[in-house]
Every structure is written in structure tokens, then in C-alpha cells.
């Protein structure tokens, strides 16, 4: 049987995202020169404060607040003031480059509208539509900027059991910690069965599917916890248009334990999922 629990287990496992972030490959520091180029001679001190302090120092403090989150904070601040000008567009473009998806920016602008004003939201949406011109999924680098957990290295050892690319990032590998598994959009593993151990999945980013044999698929979002009993045939993976990232750990209760890999998920069945 399956359990989806939004409780103590999720809080325990999600309580230290900064530790995970410290182990990831951070993006290159921002180097801003726009203000020096345009106002360097006219207002050199302002150019210094803008390029060297605001962007060179404040924006580059990525340990506590990622570029993804700083972008959202900046957009909310500018929208609240009604500053939907070229600067606002520039920050929207930065947000997209830093992993903010179309769905995220839509939710952020809609939420902010209730507090900042409906006309401001209309103006913000008009520009956002020009920046997010298609529904293409995030690139790998963009997705990495959207999550504090590392994407990791290609899952070459089990690639034959996956449709699409997946990545592994063991957390505290020497201490037997959980493994972070990342699926690119539409990637999923084959049907499989765990013998001799219970597996727990904790979604930390993106959206995915989990399905047991003979039961409907269940959507997984950040905070969802799936407990998979031993002996249950199942599969899990990403939705078609989103990356999917989960932590996983195993609770063994037998000396001999292994995973039995089975047939791939039928393409027609996967494509029928919403």
C-alpha cells in the first residue's frame, strides 16, 4: 500500500536544504557592468553602488538566498511599486535564466495582485508573456538554479532501466544518507519491485508521478512523501513538462535485499497522464 504524508517525516528530511546547497555546483558570480557603461562618467559613485555592490555583492550572496529566490523577491518588490518598465523586463529575463518557470511567475504575479493591486498585475503579465514565450521545460542549468539540492551526476549504472536521463547525488554517502534522484522532463523508470526493503520517496522539487500496478498514477509535488512497501510493483518519474527531484532512502528488514527491474512503462499509458 502507499502513503502520502505531509508531516513530521517531510519536515525532518527537508529541514536542512542549506547543507545540500553547500554541496552543489553554484553558478558563476554575477558580473554587472551596465551602469558603469551607461553612467560611469556621469555618476561614477552610483555606477559603483549598482554594479559592484548591489549586483557584485548582494546578488552574489547565494548561500542563504538563491538567485532564483532573489529574482522573485525583486520582481515582487518592483511590481508592488508599479515599476513595470525596462528594468522590470530585465529582472523577468534574469528570473527565467535563474530557473523561474512560467507556472511559478504566473502564481507569483497572481498572488501579489491581491496585495499590490490588480492593474499592476495586468502590466506585469503583459511583459511576462513576452519573456516566457513558450512552454518549454527548464534547461538542466535553469532547474539547478531553482532547487537547493544538487542535480548530481548521470545515473549511468541504471540507465538501461530508465526512459530518458536521470541523475544521482548521494547525500552524506559515507554516512549512509539519502540519495537525491533527479529526472529530466518525461523521464521515468521501469516497473520494478523492491525485495527485502521499504523505499521512501520525498519530493523536493518539480513534479512527478508514482504508480502502483493496477492503481491510478498519483501526482507528486514538493513535500509529498511516498512509502513503498516491499514486494509492490511500481514506477515513478517526471511529468512531461517538468523536472522532478526526490530524496530516497531504504529501510531494510531482511539480510538479502534487491531491486527486481521489469518492463518499461507503456508509452501509450504514460502519454495518457495529464
Amino acid at each position: 500500500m502507499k502513503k502520502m504524508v505531509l508531516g513530521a517525516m517531510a519536515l525532518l528530511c527537508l529541514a536542512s536544504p542549506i547543507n545540500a546547497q553547500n554541496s552543489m555546483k553554484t553558478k558563476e558570480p554575477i558580473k554587472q557592468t551596465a551602469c558603469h557603461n551607461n553612467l560611469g562618467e556621469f555618476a561614477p559613485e552610483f555606477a559603483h553602488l549598482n554594479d559592484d555592490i548591489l549586483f557584485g555583492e548582494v546578488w552574489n550572496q547565494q548561500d542563504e538566498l538563491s538567485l532564483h529566490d532573489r529574482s522573485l523577491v525583486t520582481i515582487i518588490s518592483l511590481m508592488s511599486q508599479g515599476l513595470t518598465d525596462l528594468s522590470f523586463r530585465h529582472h523577468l529575463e534574469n528570473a527565467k535564466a535563474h530557473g523561474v518557470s512560467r507556472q511559478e511567475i504566473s502564481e507569483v504575479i497572481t498572488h501579489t495582485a491581491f496585495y499590490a493591486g490588480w492593474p499592476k498585475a495586468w502590466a506585469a503579465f503583459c511583459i511576462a508573456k513576452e519573456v516566457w514565450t513558450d512552454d518549454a521545460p527548464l534547461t538542466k542549468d535553469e532547474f539547478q538554479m531553482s532547487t537547493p539540492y544538487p542535480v548530481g551526476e548521470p545515473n549511468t549504472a541504471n540507465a538501461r532501466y530508465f526512459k530518458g536521463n536521470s541523475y544521482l547525488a548521494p547525500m552524506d554517502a559515507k554516512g549512509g544518507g539519502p540519495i537525491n534522484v533527479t529526472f529530466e522532463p518525461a523521464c521515468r523508470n521501469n516497473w520494478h519491485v523492491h525485495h527485502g526493503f521499504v523505499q521512501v520517496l520525498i519530493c523536493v522539487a518539480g513534479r512527478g508521478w508514482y504508480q502502483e500496478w493496477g492503481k491510478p498514477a498519483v501526482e507528486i509535488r514538493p513535500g509529498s512523501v511516498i512509502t513503498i512497501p516491499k514486494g509492490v510493483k511500481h514506477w515513478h518519474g517526471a511529468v512531461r513538462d517538468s523536472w522532478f527531484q526526490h530524496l530516497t532512502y531504504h529501510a531494510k528488514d531482511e539480510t538479502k535485499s534487491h531491486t527486481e527491474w521489469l518492463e518499461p512503462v507503456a508509452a501509450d499509458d504514460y502519454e495518457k497522464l495529464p
Side-chain angles (χ1 to χ4, degrees):
M1 294 181 63
K2 168 186 59 63
K3 298 179 181 178
M4 292 192 67
V5 184
L6 301 178
M9 185 181 296
L11 293 176
L12 176 62
C13 295
L14 299 176
S16 55
I18 298 304
N19 292 333
Q21 188 179 41
N22 289 339
S23 65
M24 66 184 273
K25 296 179 180 179
T26 57
K27 191 172 183 178
E28 290 296 319
I30 292 178
K31 295 180 180 179
Q32 177 68 271
T33 61
C35 201
H36 277 298
N37 294 340
N38 289 280
L39 296 175
E41 294 184 3
F42 188 81
E45 182 60 20
F46 181 81
H48 164 66
L49 293 173
N50 184 85
D51 290 358
D52 304 330
I53 304 301
L54 174 57
F55 286 96
E57 296 184 12
V58 176
W59 271 85
N60 280 317
Q61 295 176 16
Q62 299 179 37
D63 287 341
E64 301 298 332
L65 198 62
S66 68
L67 294 178
H68 172 278
D69 294 344
R70 287 185 186 278
S71 294
L72 291 180
V73 171
T74 304
I75 288 168
I76 292 170
S77 176
L78 294 174
M79 176 181 158
S80 298
Q81 301 174 71
L83 301 177
T84 50
D85 52 7
L86 290 177
S87 175
F88 185 74
R89 183 187 181 92
H90 170 74
H91 282 289
L92 287 177
E93 292 171 345
N94 272 348
K96 184 179 181 181
H98 296 152
V100 176
S101 68
R102 181 185 63 79
Q103 293 82 359
E104 284 181 302
I105 197 64
S106 178
E107 287 293 328
V108 165
I109 294 176
T110 300
H111 184 85
T112 307
F114 285 91
Y115 298 90
W118 221 249
K120 295 175 182 177
W122 268 102
F125 270 126
C126 288
I127 301 175
K129 282 182 61 178
E130 297 175 354
V131 175
W132 281 267
T133 56
D134 54 47
D135 294 334
L138 299 177
T139 66
K140 181 183 174 184
D141 288 340
E142 288 171 343
F143 177 71
Q144 179 64 95
M145 297 309 302
S146 73
T147 172
Y149 292 88
V151 168
E153 300 300 325
N155 182 14
T156 55
N158 294 312
R160 62 188 182 278
Y161 304 126
F162 283 71
K163 174 67 175 179
N165 297 316
S166 63
Y167 304 84
L168 300 179
M171 302 172 65
D172 188 22
K174 294 183 180 179
I179 297 175
N180 185 32
V181 186
T182 302
F183 300 74
E184 69 177 6
C187 175
R188 64 271 191 189
N189 50 34
N190 289 4
W191 290 98
H192 57 286
V193 177
H194 301 305
H195 296 285
F197 66 91
V198 173
Q199 184 182 33
V200 178
L201 310 179
I202 304 170
C203 179
V204 294
R207 295 187 300 121
W209 294 110
Y210 169 78
Q211 185 175 22
E212 294 180 1
W213 186 259
K215 297 182 180 181
V218 177
E219 186 179 12
I220 310 175
R221 291 178 175 270
S224 298
V225 178
I226 302 292
T227 301
I228 308 169
K230 58 183 180 180
V232 172
K233 184 176 179 179
H234 67 283
W235 70 271
H236 41 97
V239 301
R240 288 190 296 274
D241 59 354
S242 173
W243 290 74
F244 172 51
Q245 191 176 60
H246 68 62
L247 306 182
T248 178
Y249 66 88
H250 300 161
K252 298 182 179 180
D253 59 0
E254 297 179 12
T255 303
K256 294 183 179 180
S257 60
H258 69 282
T259 297
E260 178 186 3
W261 290 102
L262 303 168
E263 73 276 12
V265 177
D268 289 345
D269 292 338
Y270 179 82
E271 291 300 326
K272 290 178 183 176
L273 296 173

